Amino acid sequence: MPVSLDSALLEGLISFFLLVGATFALIGSIGLMRLPDFYLRLHGPAKATTLGVGGIIIGSVIFFSTQGDGLSLHELLIALFLFITAPVSCHIVAKAALHLRLEAVERTRGKPWN
């Protein structure tokens, strides 16, 4: 069965976004596991994993939008919800940690209690 150039380019584009998203999600997960204190660990899920999920959602939008039913808006709403809620929830968690004065390593900057 011959594969057209458009189909190959589309599959390549979808694969690119899935791989970029998976790479960011992996980096965020490793950061969450490896960084030394709570404040540094917040960066992994807040930034890298959000970008990773965003990349995967872009790949999903492209895939389902080319399947014949038009633009797939479900994934765009998921991305909008994720990009709004992830920074807000991390900010709330960080404020709670500052309020509780959780221990931090010396290289963590911005400690208001010092």
Side-chain angles (χ1 to χ4, degrees), residues 43-59:
H43 290 285
K47 294 178 181 170
T49 305
T50 302
L51 285 175
V53 172
I56 292 170
I57 287 174
I58 290 171

Side-chain angles (χ1 to χ4, degrees), residues 28 30-47 94 97 103-109:
I30 291 172
L32 179 65
M33 188 178 73
R34 301 272 313 191
L35 291 173
D37 72 357
F38 178 81
Y39 302 102
L40 294 174
R41 285 185 194 136
L42 274 178
H43 290 285
K47 294 178 181 170
E103 291 182 21
V105 295
E106 281 190 33
R107 65 182 177 175
T108 300
R109 293 181 287 170

Side-chain angles (χ1 to χ4, degrees), residues 3-26:
V3 177
S4 68
L5 181 61
D6 290 341
S7 176
L9 285 175
L10 189 62
E11 288 177 3
L13 184 66
I14 292 169
S15 299
F16 171 77
F17 279 112
L18 290 177
L19 287 174
V20 167
T23 302
F24 273 110
L26 177 66

Side-chain angles (χ1 to χ4, degrees), residues 61-78:
V61 166
I62 294 170
F63 176 76
F64 286 111
S65 294
T66 58
Q67 295 300 309
D69 290 337
L71 183 63
S72 176
L73 294 177
H74 302 99
E75 291 88 358
L76 293 176
L77 291 174
I78 293 170

